[in-house]
Structure formats: C-alpha cells, structure tokens
C-alpha cells in the first residue's frame, strides 16, 4: 500500500498530471513511487489494486466545470472522471474518485491523476492518493 500527498497547492493544466511530494505511508513492495514522477508504478503482475483519490478542487472562473480522473499509462479511465463546478472563482469543493484495476500489461502499470478537462484545475494542498494491492 502507498499513500501520497502534496504539501503545496498546484495548478494542473489540461492533460497534465497531479504531482506528489510526500509519501505518508508505504508498506510492502506491490507499488513504487519516485519523487518528481507524477505516477505510481504497480509492480505485481496480475495483482488487483484499489485506487482512491480525494482533493479540494476549484477553477479560475465561476460556474466552469473542472475535472480529474484516474489514468493508467497516461490514458484516463472514463468511469473515474470527477467533475466539480465551483460557484465562484477559487471556491473549493471536494472530489473523490476511485476504481479497481488489474495490472496485466507492462505499458499500463503506471497510475496517475490527470486533468481531463479543458481548463486548469486549482488543487489545494494535502490531497490524498491511496493505492492498495487487494489480491
């Protein structure tokens, strides 16, 4: 299991991934993370993983939706898209997204959180990404 956060707020541009700078917890060897790389590598071939992300998001314009999604190998999983429409500029709302994935292919073994929208996402500090191998 690995749990990551970022101690600073960030602006995630369309198509870009969320970055993390702090490992809060890491047990076992089913996944690995290198600071500076915006993804977590799933190491157990055939392993099933539970992925959860929570964070406070906003945008730079009122009533304009912002969105994040779980991605494998840089490709967003459509069923995981989380959308928030802030009522005002810099009005933060919490989103929570997650899924289960099976690590079956080496080119899809990297998990990231990406901006799948058309506008930048303002992401408050202390967001949380948890990845746990469940089988």
């Amino acid at each position: 299991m690995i749990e990551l956060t970022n101690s600073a707020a960030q602006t995630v541009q369309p198509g870009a991934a969320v970055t993390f700078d702090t490992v809060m917890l890491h047990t076992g060897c089913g996944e690995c993370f290198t600071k500076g790389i915006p993804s977590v590598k799933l190491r157990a071939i055939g392993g099933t993983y539970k992925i959860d992300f929570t964070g406070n998001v906003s945008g730079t314009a009122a009533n304009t939706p912002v969105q994040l999604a779980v991605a494998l190998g840089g490709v967003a999983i459509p069923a995981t898209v989380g959308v928030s429409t802030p009522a005002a500029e810099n009005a933060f709302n919490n989103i929570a997204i997650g899924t289960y994935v099976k690590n079956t292919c080496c080119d899809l073994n990297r998990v990231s959180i990406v901006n799948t929208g058309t506008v930048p996402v303002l992401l408050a500090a202390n967001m949380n990404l948890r990845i746990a191998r469940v089988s």
Side-chain angles (χ1 to χ4, degrees):
M1 178 189 161
I2 192 165
E3 184 174 12
L4 304 172
T5 190
N6 196 320
S7 59
Q10 59 188 282
T11 300
V12 185
Q13 297 298 326
V18 173
T19 60
F20 301 93
D21 67 4
T22 303
V23 177
M24 295 174 59
L25 177 68
H26 189 198
T27 62
C29 59
E31 55 285 315
C32 62
F33 169 74
T34 303
K35 189 175 176 180
I37 297 174
S39 63
V40 174
K41 182 176 181 177
L42 306 178
R43 296 178 63 184
I45 300 298
T48 302
Y49 291 85
K50 183 176 189 233
I51 301 166
D52 291 300
F53 174 82
T54 60
N56 294 314
V57 299
S58 187
T60 57
N63 301 313
T64 302
V66 295
Q67 58 190 55
L68 295 172
V70 174
L72 289 177
V75 178
I77 301 170
T80 67
V81 174
V83 179
S84 173
T85 305
E89 177 182 341
N90 298 320
F92 286 85
N93 297 308
N94 187 270
I95 63 165
I97 55 178
T99 192
Y100 288 90
V101 298
K102 186 168 182 131
N103 186 18
T104 58
C105 184
C106 290
D107 61 342
L108 296 177
N109 67 354
R110 290 209 165 268
V111 175
S112 56
I113 306 300
V114 297
N115 178 350
T116 55
T118 58
V119 298
V121 174
L122 304 178
L123 185 59
N126 303 313
M127 77 291 282
N128 190 274
L129 173 65
R130 290 186 200 104
I131 301 174
R133 183 174 174 202
V134 294
S135 70

